[in-house]
Amino acid sequence: MLKLLISGALGQVGRRIAEYSKTNDNYSVVCGVDRFTDCGNFPIFTDFNDVTVIPDIIIDFSNPSVLDGLLKFAIKNKIPTVIATTGYSAEQIEKIKNASKEIPVFFTANMSLGINLLCSLAKKASTVLGDAFDVEIIEKHHNQKIDAPSGTAIMLGNSINEVNSDKYVYEYDRHSKRAKRSKNEIGIHSVRGGTIVGEHDVIFAGKDEVLTLSHSAFSKEVFVSGALKAADFLIKQPTGLYDMNDVLSL
């Protein structure tokens, strides 16, 4: 049985992971970290400095502000860590990379297997279509999401850039820019409304034809499933930085 610490234990995904673990003998939530402590099923601490229970693995769906405490705790206790929080700065991402030199770290902007497959498809499409097609990304999320654009939209853009020698720049807003679209840009656009779980479209627009790759998440359960797959994978790995591509390649 894998003993879990959930960072963001009372968030939407954290709660679902805890509920799932009640009906699956492979997982047990031994504690959580959250700014709230309203839970009777397992101890919840408001700060990683206060945690007294040592898990087998950490699953993080929280907030970028938690990162320093999380990494310090994980490194000190040599705990593999699955990080699925978005909205990190470049400096924070560098801290995650540095932590992976001391413990196994699984880091991705989206835990959905489908989204990670979409990244692979976007890479392939970009390789085949080349400069003849303009690339635009549209992401849609619920009205409570704080960061924009989504980490997943950036991940999709980065996937395309990966196979194009990082030649693309990201254009987030054109309302104040009176100029034709350049060939070396990827437009990234955000929509916020209602209870949209997550929708992402990657548009390849060429002469007289358009190819659109799409993914829609209809519930948070897809993130639960992906996070637990990541945990099962990571617990067996040596020190290093991993993502969903490592799981998909198995």
Side-chain angles (χ1 to χ4, degrees):
M1 179 181 289
L2 203 55
K3 294 184 291 185
L4 310 177
L5 182 160
I6 304 174
S7 176
L10 298 183
Q12 293 189 47
V13 180
R15 286 181 183 274
R16 284 171 169 82
I17 293 173
E19 285 298 316
Y20 182 83
S21 70
K22 291 179 184 178
T23 59
N24 191 303
D25 294 337
N26 294 325
Y27 310 101
S28 173
V29 180
V30 294
C31 66
V33 173
D34 201 288
R35 59 178 175 164
F36 304 108
T37 58
D38 182 22
C39 178
N41 299 316
F42 50 86
I44 294 184
F45 305 92
T46 56
D47 193 286
F48 273 97
N49 288 324
D50 302 326
V51 176
T52 57
V53 183
I54 304 301
D56 296 324
I57 197 162
I58 298 169
I59 297 180
D60 173 59
F61 281 91
S62 60
N63 186 282
S65 63
V66 177
L67 183 67
D68 286 350
L70 183 157
L71 293 180
K72 181 179 177 182
F73 176 82
I75 291 170
K76 177 183 177 182
N77 295 286
K78 301 299 180 184
I79 304 170
T81 302
V82 176
I83 299 177
T85 297
T86 61
Y88 288 119
S89 66
E91 181 183 357
Q92 288 178 310
I93 292 173
E94 196 60 33
K95 289 180 180 180
I96 292 170
K97 291 178 179 178
N98 288 335
S100 73
K101 298 173 184 176
E102 301 187 56
I103 57 172
V105 175
F106 190 104
F107 177 48
T108 182
N110 195 300
M111 279 293 170
S112 160
L113 293 174
I115 278 290
N116 284 274
L117 178 57
L118 179 62
C119 285
S120 297
L121 294 173
K123 285 183 182 180
K124 179 65 175 178
S126 182
T127 301
V128 172
L129 300 175
D131 292 337
F133 284 69
D134 297 322
V135 184
E136 298 281 304
I137 297 171
I138 302 173
E139 56 96 350
K140 305 173 187 177
H141 284 88
H142 53 87
N143 57 22
Q144 300 301 301
K145 186 170 178 61
I146 297 172
D147 56 313
S150 69
T152 302
I154 299 297
M155 183 170 76
L156 287 162
N158 290 345
S159 295
I160 295 169
N161 242 338
E162 230 177 83
V163 294
N164 286 279
S165 303
D166 290 323
K167 70 178 182 182
Y168 289 111
V169 295
Y170 303 147
E171 187 66 54
Y172 300 112
D173 190 359
R174 291 196 179 93
H175 83 276
S176 61
K177 184 178 179 180
R178 298 186 61 80
K180 292 182 179 180
R181 186 190 198 284
S182 67
K183 293 298 295 182
N184 68 331
E185 70 179 57
I186 295 177
I188 301 180
H189 316 279
S190 300
V191 176
R192 296 289 176 265
T195 59
I196 301 170
V197 175
E199 297 180 12
H200 293 84
D201 295 330
V202 184
I203 301 168
F204 292 88
K207 180 175 172 56
D208 300 329
E209 61 179 332
V210 175
L211 170 67
T212 302
L213 303 175
S214 298
H215 177 273
S216 297
F218 297 106
S219 82
K220 300 285 186 181
E221 303 304 324
V222 297
F223 308 129
V224 173
S225 174
L228 293 174
K229 283 183 184 295
D232 289 336
F233 166 82
L234 192 65
I235 200 67
K236 303 170 187 175
Q237 306 307 315
T239 296
L241 185 64
Y242 304 91
D243 61 25
M244 198 60 79
N245 288 322
D246 298 298
V247 175
L248 293 174
S249 64
L250 293 177

